[in-house]
Amino acid sequence: MVRVSVVGAKGRMGSHVVDAVNAAEDTQLALALDAGDDLAAITPDNTDVAVEFTVPSVALGNVLALVAQGVDVVVGTTGWTEEKLAKVREALAAAPRADQAVFIAPNFAISAVLADHFATVAARYFESAEVIELHHPTKVDAPSGTAFHTAQGIAAARRAAGLGPVPDATETDGGSRGQVVDGIHVHAVRLRGLNAHEEILFGNAGEQLTIRADSFDRTSFMPGVLLAVRKLAAGGHAGLTIGLDHFLDL
Ligand SMILES: NC(=O)C1=CN([C@@H]2O[C@H](COP(=O)(O)OP(=O)(O)OC[C@H]3O[C@@H](n4cnc5c(N)ncnc54)[C@H](O)[C@@H]3O)[C@@H](O)[C@H]2O)C=CC1
Ligand SMILES: O=C(O)C1=N[C@H](C(=O)O)C[C@H](O)C1
């Protein structure tokens, strides 16, 4: 049995992870911690993998603490910058165990992971590309971690193909053109009734391709979370890995 501790266990995602770990035949819940609990309770003696779903402002500190305690971590919390990722890599280099692993996924839903992958395939064929993410109004960050990651992937694919900037004649912008991530405009919608959705728009003269992923329920993230937990528990993923596509045969 893989022993799993959950950090952020009372949250929307954390509580689903607790249920998923309890329901799976090969995982068992070790500790379920939330704000105010002592993270030092999670050690290799009681936990094989910790799952972290909290808020962007505390996730780095939690991951660094867990790594220092010798625990492998699966992270779903968003808000990862290059600076923060560098700190995780540094912590792993100084970790108690040589084979320690941290896995971060911008999105655990297969629909979103595939949409992201298809977008990187399509990117080089289109002059224009924009990303729209649509979420529940209780989400604290914008744009979504997924949309940020998608935009970065599109930008990298465009660079590799030698494409220039996307065409855009905008001269005045009060913010309506969205956040520009690596040259790709990203727009965020917050609407009661939504869960997690992303639309990736590609355009050429006279044609358009739209790739859309819809996660209607948080259960959609759980197979991906359990896959990551199992992969880390099995070993062979030392260091920092980003993106569920690494664990799928795409
Ligand atoms: N990677 C993915 O597939 C997904 C990622 N997310 C991300 O996961 C994160 C959490 O989302 P939700 O569950 O909707 O948020 P939420 O607000 O419902 O839950 C966050 C939980 O973290 C707890 N928390 C806050 N500070 C803490 C600390 N220092 N130590 C332990 N627990 C602490 C809160 O009390 C709360 O229970 C967000 O960054 C969100 O964007 C959400 C859905 C899917
Ligand atoms: O907060 C959410 O709900 C989600 N957060 C992640 C993100 O920011 O990309 C993943 C998914 O979109 C749901």
Side-chain angles (χ1 to χ4, degrees):
M1 290 287 255
V2 181
R3 300 164 305 162
V4 181
S5 286
V6 181
V7 182
K10 292 182 181 164
R12 287 179 288 263
M13 284 299 290
S15 55
H16 273 81
V17 176
V18 167
D19 291 346
V21 167
N22 280 328
E25 287 185 352
D26 59 341
T27 56
Q28 71 180 44
L29 188 65
L31 296 166
L33 304 186
D34 204 272
D37 293 332
D38 186 3
L39 225 55
I42 301 178
T43 72
D45 289 337
N46 55 42
T47 299
D48 298 309
V49 180
V51 178
E52 214 275 1
F53 274 102
T54 60
V55 286
S57 55
V58 305
L60 174 64
N62 285 348
V63 171
L64 296 184
L66 290 163
V67 169
Q69 285 155 217
V71 178
D72 288 348
V73 197
V74 166
V75 187
T77 311
T78 48
W80 294 95
T81 59
E82 281 310 316
E83 291 73 22
K84 288 183 178 183
L85 295 173
K87 287 186 179 152
V88 174
R89 288 191 184 94
E90 269 171 41
L92 282 165
R97 289 174 20 237
D99 61 343
Q100 246 175 272
V102 171
F103 173 76
I104 301 175
N107 203 307
F108 284 99
I110 186 74
S111 54
V113 177
L114 286 176
D116 200 71
H117 175 71
F118 295 150
T120 62
V121 174
R124 71 188 171 105
Y125 299 103
F126 291 89
E127 199 184 349
S128 288
E130 303 224 357
V131 180
I132 306 171
E133 55 96 331
L134 310 90
H135 279 84
H136 56 94
T138 39
K139 183 167 176 57
V140 296
D141 55 322
S144 71
T146 309
F148 204 88
H149 188 253
T150 304
Q152 287 180 320
I154 292 170
R158 288 176 66 93
R159 270 195 305 274
L163 294 188
V166 292
D168 183 4
T170 308
E171 289 183 4
T172 59
D173 177 18
S176 302
R177 294 289 290 114
Q179 179 174 341
V180 183
V181 177
D182 278 2
I184 304 299
H185 292 255
V186 179
H187 311 267
V189 176
R190 296 291 173 264
L191 209 65
R192 185 70 69 201
L194 293 180
N195 183 36
H197 316 260
E198 185 175 84
E199 231 172 63
I200 306 144
L201 311 179
F202 292 104
N204 277 333
E207 64 171 348
Q208 185 184 329
L209 170 69
T210 302
I211 300 171
R212 181 172 170 120
D214 293 285
S215 167
F216 300 110
D217 189 283
R218 290 185 180 84
T219 52
S220 61
F221 302 113
M222 295 307 120
V225 172
L226 291 176
L227 172 65
V229 164
R230 289 176 182 125
K231 290 284 186 186
L232 262 58
H237 300 286
L240 175 62
T241 306
I242 300 170
L244 200 68
D245 49 309
H246 289 281
F247 296 155
L248 301 171
D249 191 20
L250 295 180

